[in-house]
Amino acid sequence: MSVFPKISLRPEVENYLKEGFMNKEIVTALGKQEAERKFETLLKHLSHPPSFTTVRVNTHLASVQHVKNLLLDELQKQFNGLSVPILQHPDLQDVLLIPVIGPRVGGCVEDETEEVGRGRKNIKKQQCEAIVGAQCGNAVLRGAHVYAPGIVSASKFMKAGDVISVYSDIKGKCKKGAKEFDGTKVFLGNGISELSRKEIFSGLPELKYVIRGMGIRMTEPVYLSPSFDNVLPRYLFLQNLPSALVTHVLNPQPGEKILDLCAAPGGKTTHIAALMHDQGEVIALDKIFNKVEKIKQNALLLGLNSIRAFCFDGTKAVKLDMVEDTEGDPPFLPESFDRILLDAPCSGMGQRPNMACTWSLKEVASYQPLQRKLFTAAVQLLKPEGVLVYSTCTITLAENEEQVAWALTKFPCLQLQPQEPQIGGEGMRGAGLSCEQLKQLQRFDPSAVPLPDTDMDSLREARREDMLRLANKDSIGFFIAKFVKCKST
């Protein structure tokens, strides 16, 4: 059930995406009308959250069953006694799935209709309102509370303890500190204000420490998802399903030397180390110092000692002179790594929920050249018979299938490989890849299934296999390709 408008894009960007999703190969296969319908459905689904919250268990420190039991207790507290099921993914044994309940109101932008869903509590909109930024709003739809920096506007007389209706300013038009806002806004649910309007917006030096804290504690969100703010931090890592799949596709083995070329914030890095039983060497690179520090913090928190993180530009990671490297710091000699993960910087057009993207076409298109530089470095650093996995969290043809076609032409030493587990759909037509090659890719298409309308009644009646099928299909937009490097001749 679509309750939000489709993702808001600049016309040039929407046209660019449409050209990709209605290319000649797709239109020939599906017909123009069906291709256009699928594209419009995709834009609607991008503004809604996936139907499951996915967490990865840190199996280095605890068993999946132990963590699942702890999490069941936590959800009982968060959901006031509601018994929400937790599913262990059959193909990704360290992944737990928690169904998202909602949407819990009817209507869309500024629609005052508040119909009661099957067995759902009606969410009554309040006179006292708070407006949050689009990114903060996206996080709220996935279970987050509202922290003070995310609040853009609040009603004139808002006090701590008030029941507040929270809205997202999806187009970024609300002025900071405004007392009311009549522009385009999307209802996210109700919460309890932890601060007064004065405390949020006064900006006085003695209040600076306050305005960094919790602003609104969400009590009746439109989509009910668990909050993972400091919940079992040593045992759980909040991760989208395809992101957790990538490391299983890489299939790291104990004792190997593995490179995570664009590693921050370290979810996949720590997953690699855990799957290797912390035996071997995992090198993590990222250009931004603070993000590298976050990787180190995560490794320490999760008890993983095989990770070494460096602040370094992955495009310059190949050591050009062949002098033997004794320190083990970047740059590295060619053919140094058994496996390489290139989870490339991308336009992020597959992230959900995302109600608005303000990027220009130039910004969206800027990632393909960078990805190719990183890919070139990865091929040079990979040992013969080594495995390279390329992934993005975007939906564009240019950053996904076109990159695969380019790589296979540019590097004859690479062979495309089938992936295990195979959970996503096959690749998208339009880049000149064969049917067999498309089947070896994994593309997660958010428009693959209708938007679910989930309440407790439907959860009780749902079959486990149907829920798992939905979790696999209704995820973020994502892409994975796996290559092996042939032996030197």
Side-chain angles (χ1 to χ4, degrees):
M1 182 172 79
S2 180
V3 295
F4 303 137
K6 73 179 187 180
I7 182 174
S8 173
L9 301 167
R10 290 191 182 187
E12 59 183 16
V13 173
E14 185 167 335
N15 289 337
Y16 168 75
L17 287 178
K18 190 170 184 177
E19 285 175 10
F21 280 82
M22 294 191 65
N23 65 68
K24 191 177 293 184
E25 284 188 58
I26 289 178
V27 171
T28 300
L30 301 181
K32 185 177 180 181
Q33 189 172 356
E34 177 60 13
E36 188 158 10
R37 184 199 66 79
K38 280 182 66 68
F39 177 65
E40 288 299 319
T41 300
L42 172 65
L43 297 186
K44 287 179 183 176
H45 286 215
L46 287 173
S47 65
H48 293 70
S51 56
F52 284 79
T53 299
T54 308
V55 289
R56 175 175 58 79
V57 176
N58 178 21
T59 51
H60 180 61
L61 292 184
S63 71
V64 175
Q65 187 58 52
H66 175 65
V67 175
K68 183 178 177 181
N69 291 338
L70 294 175
L71 189 53
L72 281 167
D73 292 340
E74 172 66 27
L75 294 190
Q76 286 270 328
K77 296 174 191 172
Q78 286 196 26
F79 293 165
N80 297 318
L82 279 180
S83 184
V84 177
I86 299 176
L87 306 179
Q88 183 177 5
H89 198 287
D91 299 314
L92 309 171
Q93 292 287 305
D94 53 0
V95 167
L96 297 175
L97 303 164
I98 305 150
V100 173
I101 298 170
R104 303 200 296 163
V105 292
C108 54
V109 179
E110 295 294 72
D111 189 337
E112 294 302 321
T113 303
E114 297 172 48
E115 60 188 32
V116 181
R118 299 186 310 276
R120 285 194 287 260
K121 181 181 178 183
N122 189 19
I123 301 179
K124 183 180 179 182
K125 294 179 183 176
Q126 305 294 310
Q127 284 190 326
C128 196
E129 298 181 358
I131 310 296
V132 301
Q135 291 303 314
C136 177
N138 295 341
V140 167
L141 289 176
R142 300 206 71 175
H145 297 291
V146 177
Y147 285 81
I151 301 173
V152 181
S153 163
S155 294
K156 185 175 181 180
F157 300 108
M158 189 180 88
K159 307 182 300 298
D162 285 350
V163 180
I164 308 290
S165 281
V166 180
Y167 295 82
S168 177
D169 170 26
I170 60 173
K171 295 191 175 180
K173 300 295 185 182
C174 184
K175 185 178 178 182
K176 185 78 172 179
K179 295 174 182 176
E180 57 182 40
F181 177 60
D182 295 324
T184 303
K185 57 188 180 183
V186 173
F187 180 59
L188 304 176
N190 295 335
I192 306 294
S193 176
E194 299 280 316
L195 302 167
S196 69
R197 173 189 164 81
K198 182 179 179 181
E199 288 173 317
I200 295 169
F201 296 118
S202 67
L204 296 175
E206 62 268 25
L207 293 176
K208 282 187 177 179
Y209 74 96
V210 176
I211 63 170
R212 294 185 184 279
M214 179 81 72
I216 301 167
R217 188 172 299 279
M218 297 300 297
T219 54
E220 296 179 300
V222 169
Y223 281 93
L224 184 60
S225 301
S227 170
F228 282 93
D229 184 17
N230 206 32
V231 172
L232 305 174
R234 300 192 72 218
Y235 296 148
L236 290 177
F237 205 100
L238 190 60
Q239 208 166 16
N240 288 300
L241 180 64
S243 298
L245 169 64
V246 167
T247 313
H248 285 278
V249 171
L250 185 67
N251 193 26
Q253 299 299 310
E256 291 183 330
K257 186 175 181 179
I258 297 182
L259 175 63
D260 189 349
L261 198 53
C262 303
K268 298 178 184 69
T269 309
T270 55
H271 197 186
I272 291 169
L275 289 182
M276 293 167 64
H277 308 294
D278 207 26
Q279 297 170 21
E281 188 176 9
V282 184
I283 302 294
L285 303 184
D286 202 272
K287 283 171 58 175
I288 301 173
F289 177 79
N290 290 343
K291 291 185 176 182
V292 173
E293 291 303 300
K294 184 65 176 175
I295 296 171
K296 293 177 181 178
Q297 290 169 16
N298 281 330
L300 186 65
L301 179 67
L302 300 176
L304 297 164
N305 299 311
S306 58
I307 295 169
R308 299 175 66 217
F310 300 95
C311 185
F312 200 83
D313 183 350
T315 64
K316 300 173 182 177
V318 183
K319 195 174 183 68
L320 297 177
D321 59 67
M322 296 303 289
V323 177
E324 189 64 35
D325 187 355
T326 56
E327 296 297 323
D329 295 356
F332 306 104
L333 293 173
E335 301 186 351
S336 291
F337 294 92
D338 297 291
R339 298 175 199 262
I340 297 177
L341 173 61
L342 174 52
D343 185 49
C346 68
S347 59
M349 300 293 288
Q351 293 290 359
R352 297 175 64 195
N354 187 6
M355 295 189 196
C357 177
T358 58
W359 283 14
S360 67
L361 179 57
K362 183 178 179 181
E363 289 172 303
V364 172
S366 68
Y367 285 94
Q368 192 190 65
L370 172 60
Q371 290 158 356
R372 292 186 177 184
K373 287 180 182 178
L374 289 163
F375 200 103
T376 300
V379 174
Q380 291 176 275
L381 290 169
L382 189 64
K383 292 178 181 178
E385 298 186 286
V387 171
L388 167 61
V389 170
Y390 172 83
S391 62
T392 73
C393 58
T394 196
I395 57 174
T396 69
L397 190 68
E399 296 170 81
N400 296 326
E401 288 84 358
E402 282 186 13
Q403 297 293 53
V404 172
W406 165 81
L408 293 174
T409 301
K410 176 77 173 176
F411 305 104
C413 61
L414 292 183
Q415 291 181 350
L416 201 59
Q417 294 289 294
Q419 299 179 37
E420 185 64 36
Q422 183 82 26
I423 292 172
E426 63 183 46
M428 191 169 78
R429 297 178 179 91
L433 297 171
S434 69
C435 291
E436 188 59 36
Q437 288 170 326
L438 292 176
K439 289 176 183 176
Q440 293 178 313
L441 305 174
Q442 291 201 71
R443 174 181 272 263
F444 287 81
D445 175 9
S447 68
V449 290
L451 286 170
D453 183 4
T454 305
D455 57 20
M456 289 306 299
D457 290 342
S458 62
L459 280 181
R460 291 187 196 100
E461 297 167 3
R463 298 189 310 163
R464 184 174 183 274
E465 52 267 37
D466 291 336
M467 294 175 71
L468 290 169
R469 190 177 301 113
L470 179 60
N472 287 342
K473 296 291 185 183
D474 188 31
S475 70
I476 65 167
F478 206 88
F479 178 84
I480 309 172
K482 180 179 182 180
F483 304 85
V484 69
K485 187 175 183 180
C486 305
K487 282 186 178 180
S488 302
T489 55

